[in-house]
Amino acid sequence: MYRIIKPGIVLKCIKCGKTYTPAPRLFLCPKCNHPLEVVLENTDFDWNKARRRRLCVWRYRELLPIREGIDPVSLNEGGTPLIKISNLYEKRVVESPNIYIKFEGANPTGSFKDRGMTIGVTIAKHLGVEGVVVASTGNTSASAAAYAARAGLKCIVFLPKGGVARGKIAQALLHGAEIREVDGSFDKALEEVLMDVLRGELANYYPLNSYNPWRLEGQKTIAFEIVDELGFVPDYVIVPVGNAGNISAIWKGFKELYEFGFIDKLPHMIGVQSENSAPLVKTWLSGSNDLIPVKEPKTIASAIRIGRPVNWLKALKAIIESKGFFETVSDDEIINSMKLLARYEGIGVEPASATTLACLIKCMNKGIVKKDDNVVLVATGHALKDPDIIIKNLESYL
Ligand code: AN7
């Protein structure tokens, strides 16, 4: 692993704090079974030097765990548009003009997952495995399939039967992944991957779900790009939460910038879930020390139809440390926000991403987010990922 990972990096348990030397398949703490986090002890990152590179994940190479000299498996991911809203403010849908959409749908496979896959698949390729394996609500499978193809690796994806939007399945097929459908929810699919990996049936396949801490290292670049482009730290960052890896990764990105002295304040993180698929909101509101799972999560936002998020503790810590909060939105609010973004701003997102605008409107109505606040909405995936939802809900317009 040391040939691939930079020296000076350790894996640390987010629960008990025990640290470990990086090893390719060490994802959960052997002592307490909680996820591990990558700790970067120092960096020679320099904004001025970085700004001479194109805006993309690898601009921040000195803040990433991959050793210098390792050639990344990349599709030029990241560098997505940060778009300031205009008409939504003019129409008074939102009360602050300082709202920005980080449009992650502009990534190579149409979601933020590409930021993580460039790191994860780079590691897989240099480990010399036969392929990669993921369980997915769709976007992870699309991204893993494309990056595996780029790396010359095989890809197996476990998908909940009937639970994945068509654009995403089409991508996995197109890029040549082997699709294994699982009866049940995403949580069941992830369980099957874990079991197959543990039983050794997929011994030569590298697992790339978001309990893989290296993948999250790529996703933290969302925070770097926000600061890089805005030139300041926003008051709030709103992120849709499924398996809870992304909100944890973005928070880690801000924290690293702060700890290394590149910024002098931190944003409040707001995690949003769909109301009948909201294990983290429930856990947070109850003050429980353990996850309160949702047995049968239901929402039109299939990307975040997840009842037992593996990164629940990381996300809970992100919310507590950032003095933020979790919020729920309804399916109707999601569809409405999807239309608002598309028709007033020209930004087409999938349902999971529309939760962010729905959440912002709710927070403004409650008076939590104020009229001059700077807010970034992380629009995680492209509208074309889920055409059926659009046609079904808007067919009266056809
Ligand atoms: C568009 O693809 O979990 O909280 O398997 O596709 O980091 O899980 C997708 C998640 C938000 C939630 N928005 O991110 C998968 C998968 C979109 C997504 C999320 C997902 P996490």
Side-chain angles (χ1 to χ4, degrees):
M1 200 66 170
Y2 263 118
R3 284 182 298 117
I4 309 170
I5 301 300
K6 276 178 192 162
I9 283 185
V10 294
L11 288 172
K12 184 175 176 187
C13 174
I14 55 158
K15 177 81 175 176
C16 74
K18 196 167 161 33
T19 55
Y20 302 90
T21 304
R25 284 166 191 275
L26 184 62
F27 303 126
L28 301 176
C29 177
K31 218 175 109 201
C32 68
N33 221 29
H34 276 281
L36 300 172
E37 183 166 79
V38 175
V39 180
L40 194 61
E41 284 169 341
N42 51 56
T43 182
D44 52 0
F45 179 73
D46 171 348
W47 279 118
N48 292 326
K49 190 172 145 198
R51 286 199 176 116
R52 290 198 287 272
R53 304 171 184 151
R54 69 188 294 276
L55 185 67
C56 69
V57 165
W58 294 94
R59 170 182 271 201
Y60 311 98
R61 182 152 195 149
E62 293 82 2
L63 291 164
L64 298 175
I66 304 296
R67 196 186 183 110
E68 283 298 315
I70 293 273
D71 207 14
V73 178
S74 174
L75 294 164
N76 294 355
E77 52 291 315
T80 54
L82 186 69
I83 307 161
K84 190 170 188 177
I85 57 137
S86 127
N87 298 321
L88 284 172
Y89 176 68
E90 298 298 322
K91 304 270 182 199
R92 291 294 183 273
V93 174
V94 295
E95 290 154 32
S96 170
N98 307 321
I99 311 296
Y100 301 83
I101 315 289
K102 185 66 172 156
F103 186 42
E104 290 294 291
N107 273 296
T109 76
S111 85
F112 69 97
K113 301 285 182 183
D114 296 345
R115 294 179 184 271
M117 283 303 160
T118 186
I119 305 279
V121 175
T122 295
I123 292 176
K125 184 177 175 186
H126 287 87
L127 283 173
V129 292
E130 187 179 341
V132 298
V133 56
V134 295
S136 178
T137 58
N139 279 326
T140 301
S141 67
S143 184
Y147 281 78
R150 179 89 171 161
L153 296 175
K154 291 185 184 164
C155 179
I156 302 177
V157 302
F158 287 67
L159 305 178
K161 203 177 203 163
V164 176
R166 276 215 286 190
K168 305 173 188 181
I169 297 188
Q171 287 178 292
L173 277 171
L174 177 65
H175 293 296
E178 176 189 329
I179 295 176
R180 296 193 188 170
E181 286 192 310
V182 176
D183 275 318
S185 66
F186 164 83
D187 303 291
K188 180 88 191 309
L190 185 58
E191 229 172 75
E192 293 212 359
V193 171
L194 271 173
M195 275 182 346
D196 281 4
V197 168
L198 290 177
R199 275 200 305 256
E201 280 167 30
L202 292 170
N204 212 11
Y205 278 74
Y206 191 57
L208 281 174
N209 274 103
S210 55
Y211 57 76
N212 180 318
W214 307 107
R215 228 192 74 194
L216 299 184
E217 289 299 287
Q219 292 172 209
K220 75 186 179 185
T221 58
I222 292 176
F224 301 164
E225 286 183 13
I226 290 171
V227 173
D228 207 349
E229 252 200 282
L230 283 181
F232 58 85
V233 177
D235 301 299
Y236 296 95
V237 179
I238 307 185
V239 189
V241 174
N243 235 337
N246 204 32
I247 192 166
S248 314
I250 297 172
W251 174 241
K252 184 174 191 282
F254 282 113
K255 258 195 338 187
E256 282 179 358
L257 291 183
Y258 185 80
E259 282 159 10
F260 289 128
F262 296 111
I263 54 176
D264 57 10
K265 77 166 242 199
L266 286 162
H268 304 294
M269 303 298 294
I270 305 177
V272 51
Q273 297 197 296
S274 185
E275 62 189 8
N276 293 319
S277 184
L280 267 159
V281 184
K282 273 196 181 152
T283 305
W284 184 68
L285 287 177
S286 74
S288 166
N289 288 328
D290 232 325
L291 176 71
I292 303 174
V294 172
K295 233 182 169 167
E296 285 181 29
K298 289 192 183 68
T299 168
I300 51 155
S302 60
I304 52 170
R305 198 181 286 147
I306 295 175
R308 230 177 313 124
V310 283
N311 286 304
W312 68 269
L313 185 57
K314 276 189 188 175
L316 207 55
K317 284 175 96 173
I319 294 299
I320 293 167
E321 286 172 13
S322 73
K323 302 186 179 63
F325 53 92
F326 283 109
E327 185 56 277
T328 57
V329 293
S330 69
D331 280 0
D332 284 346
E333 288 170 318
I334 292 173
I335 292 292
N336 187 44
S337 295
M338 217 167 98
K339 283 198 229 169
L340 288 171
L341 273 175
R343 292 175 181 192
Y344 286 147
E345 302 293 350
I347 301 172
V349 303
E350 65 168 286
S353 314
T355 59
T356 57
L357 177 62
C359 176
L360 174 67
I361 293 171
K362 205 165 173 181
C363 292
M364 288 198 151
N365 288 341
K366 284 184 179 176
I368 301 167
V369 176
K370 307 257 172 9
K371 67 182 174 51
D372 291 321
D373 284 343
N374 287 288
V375 185
V376 175
L377 310 182
V378 183
T380 44
H382 199 285
L384 289 174
K385 292 282 191 174
D386 195 350
D388 293 330
I389 282 285
I390 300 169
I391 290 165
K392 193 166 157 224
N393 285 278
L394 304 182
E395 63 194 348
S396 57
Y397 293 85
L398 289 178

